[in-house]
Amino acid sequence: MPDTTPSRDFASDNLMSLQSHILAEEQKHPGATGEFSWILSAISLATKAIGNKVRRAQLDDVLGDTGTQNVQGEGQQKLDVIANELIMRCLGDRDNVGVLGSEEDEEPMILRRRAEGGRYAVLFDPLDGSSNL
């Protein structure tokens, strides 16, 4: 019996960037201020920069241990430190981010109080599994 399952033409699927998706979803919520979208855009930018660093890691000599430990007592990897700095830089400039908490840091970083516009706390692990690289 012949296969009658319709084949899927992936080339005709609509591709959408993360930024386009964020903006499209924001439009569905009339009360949205765009502040959360702005944070997601910063995270997107940071992940692109981290992905670039990971791809070039061997060329840029950023593989391996730094000789220090993170707060969990694990050996801190060079790429962990770089990824942490990238995320902190991308999110730290957003006026609505009040607190940044990273697995790499002992204490959360308070950037601004609520009265100063810091409405959001962002918690993250900058590069999970970096020791496997």
Side-chain angles (χ1 to χ4, degrees), residues 7 16-17 24 48 53-54 57 59 70 73 79 93 98 102 109 111:
S7 64
M16 181 182 284
S17 70
K48 289 175 186 177
K53 290 290 186 187
V54 169
L59 293 171
N70 65 15
L79 278 172
D93 290 339
S102 171
M109 180 185 296
L111 302 172

Side-chain angles (χ1 to χ4, degrees), residues 2-133:
D3 183 17
T4 59
T5 307
S7 64
R8 177 140 185 211
D9 181 11
F10 289 103
S12 67
D13 287 348
N14 290 331
L15 295 177
M16 181 182 284
S17 70
L18 176 59
Q19 188 64 33
S20 295
H21 175 72
I22 291 168
L23 293 174
E25 289 299 309
E26 182 182 307
Q27 294 300 313
K28 295 178 183 178
H29 304 277
T33 63
E35 289 186 2
F36 187 68
S37 297
W38 192 236
I39 292 171
L40 292 177
S41 293
I43 293 170
S44 174
L45 175 62
T47 59
K48 289 175 186 177
I50 292 167
N52 185 49
K53 290 290 186 187
V54 169
R55 280 189 299 281
R56 295 185 46 85
Q58 193 163 11
L59 293 171
D60 293 342
D61 192 30
V62 292
L63 291 174
D65 198 89
T66 63
T68 60
Q69 292 184 337
N70 65 15
V71 295
Q72 286 80 25
E74 305 162 335
Q76 208 170 29
Q77 301 295 306
K78 292 177 187 177
L79 278 172
D80 283 326
V81 173
I82 291 168
N84 195 58
E85 289 172 2
L86 283 167
I87 294 172
M88 291 286 198
R89 197 169 346 136
C90 287
L91 286 169
D93 290 339
R94 305 299 195 222
D95 291 337
N96 58 352
V97 175
V99 178
L100 290 174
S102 171
E103 181 195 35
E104 299 304 314
D105 298 324
E106 196 166 322
E107 295 289 327
M109 180 185 296
I110 298 173
L111 302 172
R112 56 195 61 83
R113 306 265 180 227
R114 170 77 176 176
E116 300 164 334
R119 292 186 53 195
Y120 293 93
V122 181
L123 310 175
F124 59 93
D125 180 356
L127 188 62
D128 191 38
S130 59
S131 61
N132 297 322
L133 297 172

